[in-house]
Amino acid sequence: MPRVGILTGGGDCPGLNAVIRAATRSALNNSWEVVGIKNGWKGLLEKETQILDMRSISGILHRGGTILGTSRTNPYKNEGDSEIAKNNFKELNLDALIAIGGEDTLGVANKLSEEGLNIVGVPKTIDNDLNATDYTFGFDTAVNIATECIDRLHTTAESHHRLMVVEVMGRHAGWIATFSGLAGGADVILIPEIPINVAEVCQIIKNRHARGKNFSIIVVAEGAKFSKSQEILQDGELDEFGHVKLGGIGQKLAKLIETNTGFETRVVVLGHIQRGGTPTAYDRILATRYGVKAMELVFNKKFGRMAALKGNHIVDVPLKEAIAELKTVDEKIYEIAKIFFG
Ligand code: F6P
């Protein structure tokens, strides 16, 4: 029986289990054996695996997180690890591997594929910043959660006549901020792509209040920066891919706005709530389509490629293209959001 491995790497994301279920069902239907590799690339380095059968994927479609576990392990960080990964691929008798992840996990997948392993990719991240696909799964769920939170913040902000600064995820791109801000009727949306001009933000708020409004909602992506300065960090730690821990821009911004406008301001950091829990119906379907496509690529030996969404079609693109650059927020969408500022 041919064997396919599946792993999930990087930050977890609603819909991971739906991809695992879809790829496994598709493989089993075609008499392939499926090996779940635990905790991302760490599991390949340590040969930590579990067989995935009908029983293990039963009842997981609606479950958040990943039944395989995840990690931010980078097999190209320590010398010799990538050789161990390639060796273990052989020892596990894998004919192919499906890597479900964002830029880091798929960056590793691309290198291993260039070095001869049979790998295909599935695009995952709530941040939606992966290139070569219109949407990643998990993004819709994160946007829905953030939108619901903004709706709830409206009523408390209005009752207390306050400003609310809502910090959402988005390391390099402000997709969640833009979409949830647009859907939730935010009065200002701040994203990593455009440096924050505090004076301008305060003026928008002052104008709004001069019009008779006595509350405002400001959505800020965690990776947003003040002009000519660095991102705001939780601490100095770096992960294995060299990423910093973002967080704190909401707090800093709230202080500046409160001082400048004189309006009482509160901060809400949504954090990992955006990543946990059950996926939306849209994400379950998108993730399922990606999982089926990934196995189709394996059956057809189209390695070094990634399942992607283009318009309403699931297509395949080179892994290299997916990681070539980050997909930042579409200016046209941000321009639409700006119409409602103030
Ligand atoms: O999944 C991407 C992301 O949500 C980023 O927006 C965020 O900076 C990062 O993950 C935080 O992840 P963790 O706390 O798991 O390191």
Side-chain angles (χ1 to χ4, degrees), residues 52-332:
L52 293 177
D53 54 15
M54 288 295 268
R55 191 177 232 205
S56 40
I57 56 159
S58 163
I60 65 167
L61 174 62
H62 64 283
R63 269 173 59 190
T66 160
I67 58 163
L68 294 175
T70 186
S71 73
R72 294 194 190 273
T73 302
N74 180 359
Y76 285 92
K77 175 135 196 292
N78 300 318
E79 199 158 338
D81 276 2
S82 62
E83 291 311 313
I84 295 175
K86 283 185 261 181
N87 210 37
N88 289 348
F89 187 98
K90 274 192 212 119
E91 284 188 8
L92 288 167
N93 285 320
L94 296 179
D95 295 287
L97 174 67
I98 298 174
I100 312 169
E103 47 152 347
D104 298 329
T105 304
L106 297 182
V108 171
N110 182 51
K111 275 196 202 158
L112 289 172
S113 155
E114 285 178 345
E115 290 168 18
L117 297 194
N118 295 340
I119 303 191
V120 301
V122 172
K124 167 244 65 160
T125 167
I126 63 163
D127 289 354
N128 195 41
D129 58 1
L130 207 61
N131 200 37
T133 185
D134 288 355
Y135 291 101
T136 50
F137 72 85
F139 171 62
D140 184 67
T141 306
V143 168
N144 274 283
I145 293 167
T147 303
E148 193 197 329
C149 293
I150 295 168
D151 287 349
R152 288 175 184 279
L153 291 170
H154 260 102
T155 56
T156 171
E158 192 167 11
S159 305
H160 286 267
H161 321 306
R162 283 172 176 158
L163 310 187
M164 285 282 179
V165 174
V166 191
E167 183 181 308
V168 299
M169 278 190 173
R171 191 189 281 275
H172 309 288
W175 287 100
I176 298 176
T178 305
F179 273 52
S180 65
L182 196 46
D187 304 302
V188 179
I189 301 169
L190 301 165
I191 59 176
E193 290 86 338
I194 303 169
I196 303 172
N197 180 334
V198 179
E200 202 180 294
V201 172
C202 293
Q203 198 51 55
I204 293 172
I205 302 296
K206 283 181 191 160
N207 292 348
R208 177 177 151 83
H209 287 233
R211 246 179 38 230
K213 291 288 182 186
N214 59 8
F215 75 97
S216 294
I217 307 276
I218 298 131
V219 176
V220 60
E222 61 179 354
K225 301 175 271 292
F226 296 112
S227 311
K228 296 190 194 110
S229 74
Q230 297 292 318
E231 296 123 323
I232 311 295
L233 311 184
Q234 286 178 38
D235 52 44
E237 268 178 48
L238 296 180
D239 71 15
E240 291 204 2
F241 289 91
H243 298 306
V244 291
K245 264 195 225 145
L246 294 175
I249 182 70
Q251 199 68 45
K252 284 235 154 58
L253 184 67
K255 268 259 158 309
L256 290 169
I257 298 177
E258 190 173 57
T259 310
N260 188 298
T261 63
F263 301 129
E264 190 183 14
T265 307
R266 292 285 190 270
V267 187
V268 177
V269 180
L270 297 188
H272 295 80
I273 294 198
Q274 296 158 97
R275 256 176 32 192
T278 190
T280 57
Y282 178 88
D283 273 338
R284 293 180 202 187
I285 293 166
L286 181 60
T288 299
R289 294 174 79 193
Y290 280 153
V292 170
K293 180 69 180 185
M295 264 324 286
E296 188 188 300
L297 294 177
V298 170
F299 297 146
N300 295 326
K301 297 190 170 30
K302 288 179 89 176
F303 300 118
R305 303 195 61 88
M306 180 187 84
L309 180 72
K310 294 273 165 110
N312 199 25
H313 298 284
I314 301 290
V315 299
D316 55 275
V317 295
L319 268 173
K320 200 186 275 188
E321 198 183 314
I323 54 154
E325 57 179 337
L326 283 163
K327 186 182 67 193
T328 50
V329 169
D330 180 352
E331 279 171 31
K332 290 194 194 109

Side-chain angles (χ1 to χ4, degrees), residues 3 24 28 33-36 38 49-53 56 68:
R3 291 187 115 198
T24 303
L28 296 177
E33 193 174 18
V34 187
V35 183
K38 300 231 184 151
T49 62
Q50 73 177 84
I51 292 294
L52 293 177
D53 54 15
S56 40
L68 294 175

